[in-house]
Structures are given as structure tokens and as C-alpha cells.
Amino acid sequence: MAAAATARRAAAAPSPARAPTRRTPTRRAPARRAPTLPKAASRTAGAVRGLPDCAPIVGLTRGRAWIPLLGVLLAGIVALNVLTLSFTATAGKIDTQITSLRQENSVLRAREARLLSNGRVSAAAAGLGLVRMSPDEIQYRHTGPAAVKAAAARLAAEG
């Protein structure tokens, strides 16, 4: 309280007369910067300093109303802790599911590799009467409009 009264008296006191300053037109005033952390902290501390003396806080702390207020605050803290624990438990279940799905995927990939192996496919092809050709036996056909007309004529001849 005394500090606030001193500040009011200093603001109300007349300031000594100053000689007019001459400004140069080429210089600009420096740009205002955002308050630094110590200034912002001192402003916040000044705003909070008077809080215990305000009427609602005094009435709350001198009476019995602070007991239910503390109960509500503690219940909120407990609720936040329970919520955090439930999220943690859910995350643990999801991690377990992810692990089991990854294991199942690796088992399925191994089964797919076994079913699509060269030996198995070659045996199935031999059972159907298919024969593997060597690379020098492979021939490529070149097509053009004449080949298309010949193929159409063969198809028409067959019916």
C-alpha cells in the first residue's frame, strides 16, 4: 500500500521545467519493442501483488467458502489424473494390438513367400503341361497393319 501511495505522489508532483529540445528531421524515433521478460514479469507481479487485498479474496479466505473451493480444485486434479491414466492404458492396448498385427503380417508374408516360391510354381506349371523355355527359345513377334488383317482373316475363317 505504501509503495502505491508513493507512486501516486510522485506522479502528482510537478516536474521541473525543461528547455525545449530540437529535433532533427532526418532522425526517427526508435521503434517500440515488445517488453522483455523481466519487464513483463514485474508487470505481472505488480498486478498479482494487490490480489490478496481485494474484497472477494478476503471474503473467501476469512470465511468457510475456501473449503469447498479447495475440494473442487482437488477433484479437478484427481479427474485430470484419472483421465491421463485412462489415455495411458488405451495407448498401451493400442501398442499391444500394433505388435500383434506386425507379427501376424510377418507370418502372412512368410506364408505368401512359401506359396509363391519358384519350385512350387514350377511344379504346378508342370502339372498343367506347361514347360519352361530357355531364354534363347524366346522369340518376339513384330506386328503391323498387315499382321492385324491376317489375324482378322484367320479368326473369320474359323467361325
Side-chain angles (χ1 to χ4, degrees), residues 50-157:
L51 190 62
D53 295 332
C54 70
I57 300 296
V58 170
L60 183 69
T61 56
R62 293 188 192 267
R64 293 185 178 175
W66 63 272
I67 297 171
L69 177 67
L70 285 178
V72 168
L73 291 174
L74 288 173
I77 291 171
V78 169
L80 284 174
N81 285 337
V82 168
L83 188 65
T84 303
L85 288 174
S86 70
F87 284 151
T88 304
T90 303
K93 289 178 186 176
I94 290 173
D95 283 342
T96 305
Q97 289 175 347
I98 288 172
T99 303
S100 68
L101 286 174
R102 284 183 180 159
Q103 289 173 348
E104 187 177 345
N105 276 344
S106 72
V107 167
L108 290 174
R109 283 189 187 113
R111 186 180 300 161
E112 178 187 31
R114 184 179 46 85
L115 290 174
L116 295 177
S117 67
N118 264 350
R120 183 174 168 87
V121 171
S122 296
L128 292 172
L130 300 174
V131 180
R132 180 179 292 244
M133 295 181 70
S134 67
D136 12 333
E137 293 177 324
I138 297 174
Q139 296 177 0
Y140 295 99
R141 305 260 179 195
H142 298 287
T143 60
V148 172
K149 287 179 186 174
R154 277 184 290 201
L155 288 173

